[in-house]
Amino acid sequence: MAKLTYRFHEGKKEWKDLLGGKGANLCEMKNLNLPVPNGFVISTEACRNYLIQETKSLSGSLVEEIIFQIKELEMLSSKTFGIGVNPLLLSVRSGAKYSMPGMMDTILNLGLNDKTVHALSKITGNRDFAFQCYCRLIQMFADVVYNVATTNFGTIPTETKTEAEWKVIITNYQKIFATMTGRKFPQDAYEQLLIAVEAVFSSWNNQRAKVYRRIHGIPDNLGTAVTIQQMVFGNYSAESGTGVMFTRNPATGEKGVYGEYLLQAQGEDIVAGIRTPESISGLQEAMPQVYDELTKIANQLEKHYCDMQDVEFTIEAGKLYMLQTRNGKRTPQAAVAIAYDLMTEGLISEETLIARIDEEMIGQLLHPTFTDEAKIETVIVRGLPASPGAAVGQIAFTAEAAKEMSRKGKKVILVRNETSPEDIEGMSVSEAIVTARGGMTSHAAVVARGMGVCCVVGCENLQVDEEKEMASFVDGILQTGDFISVDGSSGRIYLGKLTLNEAETSEVLEKILKICDDHAAMSVYGNAETPRDIKEALLKGAKGIGLARTEHMFFQADRLKMMRQLILAEGSRVDEALAYLKEKQKNDFRQIYQILGELPCTIRLLDPPLHEFLPQDRQELRGIAQELNLNSHSVIAKAKSLAEVNPMLGLRGVRLGIIRPEIYQMQVAAIIEAALEVSKEEEITVIPHIMIPLVGTIKEFSMAKDSCVEIINDLFEKTKMRLPFEIGTMIEIPRACLIANQLAQVADFFSFGTNDLTQLTYGYSRDDAHKFLPTYTHHEILPNDPFQHLDQEGVGELMRMASEMGKQEKKSLSVGVCGEVGGDPVSISFIQTLPVDYVSCSPYRIPNARLACAKAAI
Ligand code: PEP
Ligand code: MG
């Protein structure tokens, strides 16, 4: 039978599955010869064995191993457990593979009883300390094992007391214990220990742990390890204390140690947010030697782990002990800054840097902020900026209320004295979290940062009365439902609703995305046609424009009028409309080329059916007839003739180019004239890429292309100028995929329109699929919405076939993807497996697409 317990010397950091994160890292620190109190870890396997049993009792072999390990500890420490003049005291902590802050439970000072408390008092010469430790054990034992809130016991006395007084206090604690739990506080140290181990095992399945796992996608079947360690005491003397320290600032990523400590305090005091701790710089003054040793160790650990560390330490009578190290939780801003700095410091490779950035981080990084004018508004309170971002919402004072308000569609800001693990669900539905107490490493701060929720903690001037559901600040009171605005980056809270500004890409992120571009095999282009969006796409790092939808250029009032004239009139009125629209389009294309210079730009000729430019209502049609000075009967008749039963499958795309060739010809003339002019003016070579949509046969493509080429040649002749150009096709009909080799003979490039290709492959109308897709995904008929994440088996296979056939036929053929999935990271990792040169997506998705392309390539 496999061993179930491991001494710290026996484990290593890679064994997180078996020893949990905390246990594995303690082992690693022990093996680095750092000052770690001795101890051992009960494996996650032992926990799983325990949880699957119906009887829920510790196996005989586990108990035997635990006893053996305690004997070892007794030998190493020359102390004895539960008896004797020099009692061995232990801490029992949970530690799962993934860090679950505050989710599981800890018991300190195990081994104290009515006898050993006196021994401890004697050997330390500190009676108050010994009895305070005993009080804490009884409290924590009641809380963790029997779910009895520590508040039932009142606060542990901190002042000096006589032996007799302490006896009364302890008797009282034991009475409360017995009343609340229905049993006596165990005097046998082994009994205490085994009950504590069972309690930690069971806490894996408590409600708040389950909720945390659900929110963070942690599997339910992992179980937790249990770390049993010799106690060191931060509450031992004036030269004792406890603290947490990050090797870099977890909010900004700035280099340099960052953290908090409390003198004369034990373990949980800091994370619980009950006492507001001191900044770590205070320790430098108070205990310079300890501070130096601590920072040296922290930096050694950062180098060893190649990542920012979050360490927990205790100082007992001036001696430093390390109790934990782990990769520190951080804000997205900090994550990006730290990963970049570690790369420039040579600790991690570019590939590791890319692997450490994720899609969610980028999303959260592009957080909103408040506008400048908004900042003039009165600040009602200030606290510590625990998690950045900005949010506006209505106050809830309890997690329950937050959930209820959020269910009603309200934006909620959770305001509390401090948060605890029970509040997780309420926190996760909130736009921001505000607490009156606690520091940067309090529960609220840590959890909010993990969730990417804006958070301000330690608002000294805010008095929160959770029961009455109100809070007061210097100038007034706040009640449930009141609007406040929270700035998690500055720590300011404003009364009322401020205006939010969209966030901008950070400089460091931009540098990282440039590194991504170096590693990516595919380029990222933007889908945009207005000068504003094209500029935005370039700002976000697009290497060109992969899809300019020209129909979007016809919706301004004057152009729409002329478009309608083009559709509804005849003879010279049509020519008049064409001439007008050509000038407008030419102007648009001139602007586009001026912005893009020689960067590639693919312009798609008109795609939608013409009736999309007309109203359906007869009255409105009469109005149009009047405006255009046309006969209203013939206008209504024409509109009727254009109406289609199934417009997505009707007169659109290339078919329009065949039936009304003058439209494509007008567009092509505008594209080429603009390109010739800008090339000459700017002394550059603009290479227009003209794209014909919805192609299904060779002949229709060739016919449309030939008519475009004829216009282009005429123009070259007339202007005595030339320029290179390409005419390509969208691949968005399954038939086009099947004949891709033939298409490649006549088309200069391919661009997959996955929106239509998905629509036509499945036979799902992209405009109506929302009526059944949720049911389909709910019943797992489909794994997800194929318009969001590419259907790899079907549509993806068609794309594979088409791109391979196309490239085989013509090596120089460029192939892109410009449908919605071109900006979706999951789809991008599949597209990477095809011979595709670029993806093109809307500007706001470009940063994520750049990251996804790099991840797919490495
Ligand atoms: C497509 O079909 O994927 C595409 C990009 O074109 P549109 O969405 O304009 O039909
Ligand atoms: Mg399309």
Side-chain angles (χ1 to χ4, degrees):
M1 176 128 170
K3 172 179 163 64
L4 298 170
T5 62
Y6 296 80
R7 284 171 58 195
F8 288 169
H9 280 110
E10 295 174 311
K12 51 182 172 181
K13 68 178 191 313
E14 287 78 16
W15 289 4
K16 289 196 175 68
D17 281 335
L18 187 70
L19 305 178
K22 192 177 290 166
N25 287 332
L26 276 168
C27 295
E28 189 78 9
M29 285 202 288
K30 194 76 180 169
N31 288 321
L32 288 171
N33 282 328
L34 297 179
V36 174
N38 289 321
F40 63 97
V41 188
I42 304 176
S43 71
T44 54
E45 192 188 343
C47 175
R48 289 190 295 271
N49 292 346
Y50 174 85
L51 291 174
I52 53 170
Q53 270 176 34
E54 279 201 8
T55 53
K56 297 273 179 298
S57 59
L58 301 178
S59 69
S61 54
L62 176 60
V63 173
E64 255 174 50
E65 277 194 50
I66 292 174
I67 294 171
F68 174 79
Q69 295 285 6
I70 300 289
K71 297 285 171 218
E72 287 267 322
L73 281 181
E74 286 183 329
M75 252 164 43
L76 285 169
S77 63
S78 307
K79 294 174 188 236
T80 45
F81 188 51
I83 47 166
V85 291
N86 190 2
L88 171 67
L89 302 190
L90 300 175
S91 68
V92 172
R93 296 171 201 271
S94 61
K97 176 179 180 184
Y98 302 105
S99 140
M100 294 165 62
M103 288 296 110
M104 310 292 284
D105 300 298
T106 298
I107 305 182
L108 302 178
N109 309 336
L110 276 159
L112 279 175
N113 55 29
D114 294 348
K115 290 211 173 92
T116 51
V117 71
H118 292 289
L120 184 67
S121 162
K122 215 171 193 172
I123 199 157
T124 59
N126 190 339
R127 184 195 304 126
D128 295 323
F129 159 73
F131 280 93
Q132 282 157 359
C133 287
Y134 195 19
C135 286
R136 186 178 281 251
L137 168 63
I138 299 170
Q139 261 192 356
M140 284 183 125
F141 207 83
D143 177 23
V144 173
V145 181
Y146 301 106
N147 222 353
V148 172
T150 46
T151 45
N152 286 294
F153 295 87
T155 46
I156 301 172
T158 48
E159 58 289 358
T160 303
K161 305 234 175 250
T162 62
E163 175 110 18
E165 285 171 330
W166 275 119
K167 259 199 176 142
V168 173
I169 293 166
I170 291 295
T171 310
N172 192 33
Y173 263 58
Q174 290 182 347
K175 256 195 208 141
I176 299 171
F177 185 96
T179 318
M180 302 300 293
T181 67
R183 51 198 94 201
K184 280 176 83 170
F185 177 75
Q187 289 295 312
D188 182 294
Y190 281 95
E191 191 184 340
Q192 290 175 5
L193 179 61
L194 297 181
I195 292 176
V197 170
E198 286 193 60
V200 174
F201 281 168
S202 306
S203 74
W204 175 258
N205 276 336
N206 71 27
Q207 199 49 33
R208 60 198 201 206
K210 283 186 187 165
V211 170
Y212 188 91
R213 288 202 291 274
R214 182 158 43 79
I215 292 172
H216 292 268
I218 299 171
D220 275 330
N221 59 359
L222 300 177
T224 178
V226 185
T227 298
I228 295 172
Q229 193 172 20
Q230 187 179 338
M231 283 294 306
V232 282
F233 295 97
N235 56 341
Y236 181 69
S237 64
E239 285 75 43
S240 303
T242 181
V244 292
M245 188 169 87
F246 293 88
T247 50
R248 298 176 192 237
N249 186 319
T252 63
E254 204 182 321
K255 204 174 165 166
V257 295
Y258 185 89
E260 292 160 340
Y261 77 106
L262 269 176
L263 286 183
Q264 298 225 16
Q266 212 175 8
E268 309 314 287
D269 295 337
I270 287 203
V271 269
I274 293 162
R275 272 168 66 189
T276 304
E278 301 271 327
S279 157
I280 199 81
S281 54
L283 187 64
Q284 190 170 17
E285 281 163 37
M287 295 186 195
Q289 263 171 340
V290 171
Y291 179 84
D292 282 354
E293 190 188 354
L294 177 63
T295 46
K296 228 169 91 198
I297 290 175
N299 288 330
Q300 179 188 351
L301 285 168
E302 181 178 280
K303 285 212 170 71
H304 184 73
Y305 282 86
C306 297
D307 201 356
M308 184 263 259
Q309 294 298 292
D310 161 5
V311 300
E312 276 180 35
F313 61 91
T314 282
I315 308 158
E316 184 186 81
K319 177 158 174 33
L320 174 70
Y321 292 95
M322 303 306 293
L323 296 186
Q324 177 164 317
T325 190
R326 59 181 166 185
N327 293 339
K329 288 204 184 291
R330 62 205 78 180
T331 61
Q333 279 89 337
V336 165
I338 290 170
Y340 184 76
D341 287 346
L342 290 174
M343 190 274 299
T344 55
E345 289 162 29
L347 279 178
I348 59 171
S349 64
E350 290 188 349
E351 286 83 356
T352 307
L353 161 69
I354 292 166
R356 284 191 187 176
I357 309 296
D358 66 34
E359 190 192 342
E360 223 169 286
M361 237 177 241
I362 293 187
Q364 288 173 4
L365 194 62
L366 310 175
H367 270 313
T369 50
F370 292 131
T371 57
D372 279 338
E373 311 90 77
K375 291 194 170 154
I376 299 163
E377 295 237 6
T378 353
V379 178
I380 51 170
V381 273
R382 273 181 104 138
L384 301 172
S387 180
V392 178
Q394 290 174 274
I395 296 178
F397 288 100
T398 64
E400 272 319 305
K403 281 189 277 178
E404 185 54 33
M405 282 164 70
S406 147
R407 257 196 297 275
K408 288 184 182 151
K410 293 182 178 164
K411 291 195 184 307
V412 187
I413 295 187
L414 183 62
V415 177
R416 295 187 60 74
N417 273 318
E418 69 235 13
T419 61
S420 70
E422 283 92 327
D423 297 328
I424 292 275
E425 272 181 304
M427 293 168 83
S428 73
V429 299
S430 298
E431 304 293 314
I433 296 154
V434 175
T435 67
R437 301 189 200 138
M440 293 290 277
T441 47
S442 64
H443 180 265
V446 172
V447 173
R449 277 203 290 275
M451 288 174 172
V453 174
C454 151
C455 176
V456 175
V457 299
C459 303
E460 302 272 338
N461 290 328
L462 191 68
Q463 268 80 45
V464 180
D465 189 333
E466 283 158 12
E467 248 167 44
K468 288 199 188 130
E469 302 211 350
M470 56 174 285
S472 55
F473 56 97
V474 180
D475 291 320
I477 57 163
L478 297 170
Q479 285 174 318
T480 303
D482 285 353
F483 275 98
I484 54 170
S485 304
V486 180
D487 188 339
S489 310
S490 71
R492 295 193 186 99
I493 318 264
Y494 304 81
L495 193 60
K497 297 193 258 185
L498 301 194
T499 320
L500 286 169
N501 246 355
E502 282 307 311
E504 284 172 21
T505 313
S506 80
E507 257 174 53
V508 182
L509 179 61
E510 197 34 57
K511 286 183 194 161
I512 294 175
L513 290 175
K514 286 222 165 75
I515 295 173
C516 286
D517 295 345
D518 294 341
H519 286 264
M522 296 186 292
S523 305
V524 179
Y525 290 6
N527 290 353
E529 46 283 324
T530 66
R532 201 198 66 185
D533 289 354
I534 289 175
K535 282 184 192 153
E536 180 65 16
L538 294 186
L539 217 63
K540 292 267 190 294
K543 295 281 183 293
I545 295 300
L547 175 64
R549 292 174 163 107
T550 50
E551 59 270 21
H552 291 179
M553 295 165 162
F554 293 119
F555 286 110
Q556 285 161 25
D558 62 325
R559 299 177 185 204
L560 188 58
K561 182 178 164 195
M562 281 301 162
M563 193 67 193
R564 286 168 172 171
Q565 182 170 321
L566 170 66
I567 295 167
L568 299 168
E570 274 163 16
S572 63
R573 302 287 308 278
V574 171
D575 295 339
E576 182 193 27
L578 282 169
Y580 186 91
L581 291 171
K582 185 187 134 190
E583 278 316 301
K584 292 286 175 190
Q585 287 255 278
K586 181 173 151 185
N587 201 31
D588 293 340
F589 298 135
R590 278 181 55 90
Q591 283 187 53
I592 291 175
Y593 292 139
Q594 276 158 353
I595 297 168
L596 287 172
E598 290 187 341
L599 291 177
C601 179
T602 300
I603 297 167
R604 181 178 74 185
L605 302 181
L606 197 68
D607 183 40
L610 293 179
H611 64 78
E612 282 195 8
F613 294 96
L614 301 176
Q616 288 176 354
D617 181 78
R618 273 172 177 255
Q619 198 53 40
E620 281 182 60
L621 282 169
R622 281 195 198 97
I624 288 171
Q626 203 171 15
E627 191 189 3
L628 295 175
N629 201 15
L630 293 170
N631 178 297
S632 69
H633 290 296
S634 66
V635 163
I636 290 169
K638 187 92 189 212
K640 211 170 158 193
S641 77
L642 286 172
E644 293 180 330
V645 175
N646 203 337
M648 274 294 169
L649 301 177
L651 179 55
R652 57 171 289 222
V654 65
R655 300 156 210 169
L656 202 56
I658 306 268
I659 304 296
R660 303 275 318 248
E662 66 277 15
I663 300 178
Y664 276 15
Q665 286 170 348
M666 174 274 285
Q667 290 193 291
V668 168
I671 292 168
I672 297 296
E673 281 180 22
L676 284 170
E677 285 179 15
V678 174
S679 292
K680 192 171 170 202
E681 287 159 16
E682 310 276 334
E683 295 182 8
I684 54 173
T685 309
V686 171
I687 307 176
H689 289 66
I690 298 165
M691 182 153 75
I692 299 176
L694 222 73
V695 168
T697 76
I698 302 298
K699 284 207 170 142
E700 66 184 347
F701 176 76
S702 298
M703 197 166 160
K705 179 184 171 181
D706 289 349
S707 111
C708 294
V709 172
E710 204 182 307
I711 293 290
I712 295 171
N713 285 335
D714 282 355
L715 268 170
F716 286 166
E717 191 117 319
K718 231 181 2 209
T719 57
K720 302 278 176 275
M721 290 195 291
R722 301 189 72 80
L723 44 66
F725 64 89
E726 291 192 3
I727 299 181
T729 177
M730 289 194 78
I731 303 283
E732 48 186 350
I733 289 185
R735 191 176 194 281
C737 297
L738 301 170
I739 58 156
N741 54 338
Q742 297 175 50
L743 273 174
Q745 289 169 7
V746 280
D748 296 324
F749 61 85
F750 285 178
S751 178
F752 286 104
T754 50
N755 305 336
D756 274 307
L757 190 57
T758 301
Q759 165 168 266
L760 295 168
T761 301
Y762 271 109
Y764 295 165
S765 156
R766 58 197 260 195
D767 300 311
D768 301 302
H770 61 273
K771 293 177 189 161
F772 56 85
L773 277 183
T775 311
Y776 265 44
T777 51
H778 177 75
H779 290 298
E780 294 179 359
I781 296 169
L782 292 178
N784 43 48
D785 176 350
F787 292 103
Q788 276 177 28
H789 301 298
L790 183 72
D791 158 46
Q792 301 179 7
E793 276 182 353
V795 180
E797 272 315 298
L798 281 171
M799 289 167 72
R800 183 183 303 284
M801 178 197 250
S803 51
E804 283 174 358
M805 280 184 357
K807 290 254 186 188
Q808 226 161 37
E809 188 63 41
K810 191 189 271 179
K811 280 221 156 37
S812 63
L813 185 87
S814 100
V815 178
V817 175
C818 65
E820 211 41 51
V821 300
D824 169 54
V826 184
S827 309
I828 286 174
S829 70
F830 171 80
I831 294 169
Q832 163 81 23
T833 67
L834 313 178
V836 164
D837 305 300
Y838 68 89
V839 290
S840 190
C841 56
S842 32
Y844 86 97
R845 301 185 83 178
I846 289 172
N848 263 323
R850 291 166 74 190
L851 176 70
C853 284
K855 279 184 189 277
I858 58 178

